[in-house]
Amino acid sequence: MKRYDYVIVGSGLFAATFAYEAKKVGKKCLVLEKRPHIGGNVYCEEIEGIHVHKYGAHIFHTSNKKVWNFVNSIVEFNRYTNSPIANYKGEIYNLPFNMNTFSKMWGIRTPEEAKAIIEKQRMSIQGEPRNLEEQAIRLIGKDIYEKLVKGYTEKQWGRDCKDLPSFIIRRLPVRYTYDNNYFNDCYQGIPIGGYNVLIDRLFEGIEIKTNIDFLENKEYYMSLADKVIFTGPIDAFFHYQLGKLEYRTVRFETEVLDTDNYQGVAVVNYTDRETPYTRIIEHKHFEFGTQPKSVISKEYSTDWVEGMEPYYPVNDEKNQGLYQKYVELAQKEQNVIFGGRLGEYKYYDMDKVIESAFQLVESELK
Ligand SMILES: Cc1cc2nc3c(=O)[nH]c(=O)nc-3n(C[C@H](O)[C@H](O)[C@H](O)COP(=O)(O)OP(=O)(O)OC[C@H]3O[C@@H](n4cnc5c(N)ncnc54)[C@H](O)[C@@H]3O)c2cc1C
């Protein structure tokens, strides 16, 4: 007789959603988390009374009503709407590209005027775009490309746009309305009280051990339950026996400032190449904070090396091929289910990771 129905490795949103539903149907779970806290990448650290998104800014957005109702049944969400701005050498533009952006860029007023300018500039690229620069100009025209796309993209990839393949940018969303809402989804917001409230409530009444690396005592932990749900990196589970999957990552420099309002908005993209960081996040604005101080994080895009947080899977042929080989190994593990962004080597937004946990709930618990 095993002590638990499930040992769940990791305590991010995938694990939390599954554990919550498993508890509801009377299953006994043990959650193991190697970090000193639960919540995975949505965890917030409180500094000066402000919830600081320690692993990168997280804005919840979805068009899936089931997911929205689920998270709202756990915690109420505020009305935060993501409306980032771009700073190009001191000039401020609204994002995503919309009539506010075009009006500022060209002093025009109507969608017709904006369309005419963009159309004319796009035509400067004839034939099949040979690189990302030509692709972006073909999509959005020269002015927007040069001020708002070029430097930012070069910092993200650490390379010149002329040396990047065109397929990286398939489309650049353009809106011919005065609408600064970054997302097209029906629902968005931040949990009132921060993401830790959501996570704590999902795990309420479930046994959790932090500072435990499952892989250091794999056989023992596997012997405790009928099944293991593994949300850590799939290649790590197999001791990297086929090689290492690659990631891109972000380094954060976080500072406390002696001002109550540094930039007037949560997200500012620095779109010139010379400023070394890509964005500055001012965390208090996610929750309309009125604290006397402010906390900002500068984001630097970098290649991932061991010891850094693995953030974005590199979806090229080499890595996808390697991942498929790990999937073949995973299929032989009868009692282990791999899930979440690291277990499936896939970039998932939060709503999508909850959807994916719901699918597991359907197949496992119903
Ligand atoms: C920089 C950044 C910004 C993002 N912004 C947004 C956003 O604005 N909106 C949005 O919807 N989504 C956003 N996301 C995506 C979001 O973070 C993910 O959808 C979500 O966190 C995935 O949850 P998860 O449970 O799969 O993984 P994670 O949250 O990564 O949880 C996995 C957990 O497993 C633990 N673990 C790993 N190995 C072991 C082991 N051997 N033993 C024990 N524990 C282990 C890890 O420590 C971690 O806590 C962003 C992601 C990043 C990287």
Side-chain angles (χ1 to χ4, degrees):
M1 185 60 180
K2 305 268 187 178
R3 280 168 57 194
Y4 300 95
D5 296 299
Y6 296 99
V7 160
I8 303 178
V9 183
S11 61
L13 266 179
F14 187 92
T17 306
F18 183 82
Y20 177 83
E21 294 293 337
K23 179 172 174 272
K24 261 191 356 203
V25 295
K27 300 287 182 193
K28 200 168 170 214
C29 300
L30 170 67
V31 177
L32 303 172
E33 170 56 60
K34 74 173 178 186
R35 291 175 180 168
H37 59 76
I38 57 171
N41 280 352
V42 307
Y43 170 76
C44 294
E45 188 173 33
E46 193 167 319
I47 305 177
E48 298 290 342
I50 298 161
H51 300 130
V52 174
H53 298 203
K54 190 176 163 73
Y55 302 96
H58 278 73
I59 299 138
F60 198 96
H61 58 98
T62 188
S63 290
N64 183 326
K65 201 163 186 176
K66 187 177 168 199
V67 169
W68 185 241
N69 287 345
F70 173 73
V71 291
N72 276 273
S73 74
I74 311 289
V75 57
E76 208 177 317
F77 275 61
N78 72 15
R79 60 159 187 84
Y80 177 80
T81 302
N82 197 30
S83 309
I85 60 170
N87 180 327
Y88 176 76
K89 302 188 175 180
E91 292 171 24
I92 298 296
Y93 294 95
N94 287 109
L95 296 173
F97 310 136
N98 72 78
M99 283 305 298
N100 290 302
T101 328
F102 307 143
S103 173
K104 174 84 185 264
M105 182 95 42
W106 300 309
I108 49 114
R109 270 169 290 175
T110 66
E112 203 182 347
E113 290 170 289
K115 278 182 189 164
I117 294 175
I118 290 176
E119 203 48 39
K120 190 164 168 227
Q121 295 192 359
R122 290 178 61 212
M123 288 306 139
S124 68
I125 302 295
Q126 298 291 329
E128 199 53 32
R130 287 169 300 177
N131 52 42
L132 191 145
E133 173 163 300
E134 292 189 358
Q135 170 78 346
I137 295 173
R138 169 67 73 77
L139 290 169
I140 189 80
K142 202 166 186 302
D143 291 346
I144 304 276
Y145 165 70
E146 278 183 352
K147 289 192 169 179
L148 302 179
V149 176
K150 184 176 188 296
Y152 191 84
T153 310
E154 291 182 341
K155 287 188 283 190
Q156 270 188 320
W157 291 93
R159 272 194 279 160
D160 248 50
C161 283
K162 283 200 182 81
D163 300 329
L164 286 165
S166 60
F167 72 80
I168 292 180
I169 296 187
R170 287 223 164 81
R171 44 179 225 110
L172 283 168
V174 179
R175 240 181 235 160
Y176 291 102
T177 51
Y178 286 92
D179 179 2
N180 296 328
N181 180 352
Y182 195 75
F183 297 115
N184 289 319
D185 280 321
C186 306
Y187 315 106
Q188 67 179 302
I190 305 285
I192 294 178
Y195 285 94
N196 295 3
V197 175
L198 171 67
I199 290 292
D200 289 348
R201 290 190 185 159
L202 286 171
F203 280 126
E204 216 166 76
I206 294 165
E207 192 178 341
I208 302 177
K209 291 187 199 298
T210 50
N211 290 309
I212 296 287
D213 186 339
F214 164 85
L215 295 172
E216 283 179 1
N217 220 338
K218 190 170 157 186
E219 301 313 316
Y220 167 70
Y221 291 121
M222 285 183 67
S223 74
L224 296 180
D226 296 327
K227 277 198 180 164
V228 170
I229 312 281
F230 186 79
T231 73
I234 187 168
D235 53 349
F237 183 92
F238 295 105
H239 306 289
Y240 308 105
Q241 59 181 269
L242 304 172
K244 282 190 177 150
L245 292 164
E246 291 172 313
Y247 292 87
R248 285 286 292 174
T249 194
V250 182
R251 181 171 63 79
F252 303 103
E253 269 176 20
T254 296
E255 300 165 48
V256 178
L257 301 181
D258 209 3
T259 171
D260 65 340
N261 189 0
Y262 173 68
Q263 60 185 20
V265 66
V267 183
V268 180
N269 289 9
Y270 284 79
T271 56
D272 63 308
R273 177 91 189 241
E274 292 73 29
T275 305
Y277 39 85
T278 48
R279 305 198 299 180
I280 295 185
I281 306 299
E282 188 172 17
H283 299 268
K284 69 191 312 176
H285 296 305
F286 290 124
E287 297 179 65
F288 316 109
T290 54
Q291 300 84 349
K293 297 206 175 185
S294 196
V295 181
I296 60 163
S297 299
K298 293 179 178 155
E299 298 188 350
Y300 298 81
S301 263
T302 90
D303 276 327
W304 177 78
V305 286
E306 202 152 0
M308 294 176 97
E309 293 295 338
Y311 280 151
Y312 302 106
V314 179
N315 284 322
D316 60 10
E317 249 173 66
K318 181 179 129 208
N319 283 287
Q320 281 310 318
L322 182 56
Y323 170 65
Q324 281 312 323
K325 293 201 176 110
Y326 278 116
V327 169
E328 283 163 28
L329 286 184
Q331 279 159 354
K332 292 184 193 138
E333 293 285 333
Q334 300 269 310
N335 300 327
V336 186
I337 296 165
F338 294 82
R341 63 178 194 100
L342 299 166
E344 294 176 55
Y345 192 60
K346 186 169 177 181
Y347 182 83
Y348 271 131
D349 270 334
M350 292 181 274
D351 61 328
K352 297 288 185 290
V353 98
I354 292 173
E355 266 176 47
S356 158
F358 281 169
Q359 278 168 21
L360 181 62
V361 167
E362 281 296 318
S363 61
E364 246 335 269
L365 302 173
K366 302 225 160 130

